[in-house]
Amino acid sequence: MMKYIRPGAEQTTMCPGCGNGIVAHSALRAIDELGMDMNNFVFVSGIGCSGWIPSPYFNADTLHTTHGRPVAFATGVKLAKPEMKVMVFSGDGDLAAIGGNHFIHAARRNVGLTVICINNGIYGMTGGQVAPTTPRDIKTTTTPYGNPERAFDLCALAQAAGAPYVVRWTTYHARQLTRSIEKALTHKGFSFIEVIAQCPVQYGRRAGLGNAAQMMQSYRDNSITIQRASQMTEEELRGKIIVGEFRVA
Ligand SMILES: Cc1ncc(C[n+]2csc(CCOP(=O)(O)OP(=O)(O)O)c2C)c(N)n1
Ligand code: SF4
Ligand SMILES: [Mg+2]
């Protein structure tokens, strides 16, 4: 996929083992397999490690905006240039904490964006603070005794807000993720892709979840398809990651 990387930006700033590289690769492969032209894309991101996925690396128009606001900027781009494919890369803090209202209202209005949320369950770039997506009991720098709060279910939120395409995968499911990004890019209206991704440095290390490979093994071992999950009790689903297409409308 190096042909899509901006000349001079071949070296990544991501930590070794970070899930962001897998997301970048899946997105570029989806565009490549669809035969789409990077000149027809605008990639929009916020502030956070995940904000660096498209910018400055993708050799296309990229808009690296402020924390929490990529969906607002992307909405403006889409309204001004409806013929462009507008793709948002947003962190879980970026999209679900400070940017939560932009997210639900863009879904409600069915703005034609493809939004990928890199859900690493933490504020990675700023030092590992608790996020609205951090699972209960997990130790972070701001919850040293364990997170007392429930985590947001971003796919349920997107569906409740009216998003017509909603899917969740993990970085272990790179091929499924690529297929879903392809579907999202050809689906009319707001499409939402949540990717559970490892941040071994600010999350795995502090929460005692091991290194990047161990975190991905746990995604493999704990992921449950929507079909299987529908046969399981709430108790059985504790600690599991439900993956697949939640809505295709
Ligand atoms: C208005 C504003 N508030 C807070 C910050 C500080 N800040 C920058 S990134 C970030 C959180 C990053 O977490 P997330 O969005 O999940 O991205 P990640 O680094 O995990 O990919 C915060 C709080 C900021 N830059 N601007
Ligand atoms: S701090 Fe975490 S999310 Fe940020 S680049 Fe490093 S591993 Fe990735
Ligand atoms: Mg994060």
Side-chain angles (χ1 to χ4, degrees), residues 13-20 49-50 120 124-125 198-202:
T13 51
M14 307 294 174
C15 306
C18 179
N20 287 345
C49 297
S50 42
N120 54 19
M125 200 182 78
Q198 73 277 13
C199 168
V201 172
Q202 299 292 10

Side-chain angles (χ1 to χ4, degrees), residues 8 24 40 47 74 84 92 95 97 105 147 156 168 184 204 212 221 228 234:
N40 296 329
I47 300 297
M84 301 292 276
D92 48 324
L95 193 79
H105 291 287
N147 176 24
R168 178 188 293 127
D221 297 340
R228 262 186 72 201
E234 210 172 303

Side-chain angles (χ1 to χ4, degrees), residues 86-141:
V86 183
M87 203 170 179
V88 174
F89 289 85
S90 189
D92 48 324
D94 197 50
L95 193 79
I98 189 171
N101 263 11
H102 297 301
F103 172 44
I104 57 175
H105 291 287
R108 178 179 65 84
R109 293 177 175 134
N110 201 13
V111 183
L113 308 175
T114 300
V115 176
I116 302 185
C117 180
I118 298 85
N119 183 357
N120 54 19
I122 202 82
Y123 290 179
M125 200 182 78
T126 43
Q129 296 88 353
V130 71
T133 43
T134 308
R136 202 194 280 259
D137 298 329
I138 288 286
K139 287 191 174 127
T140 73
T141 51

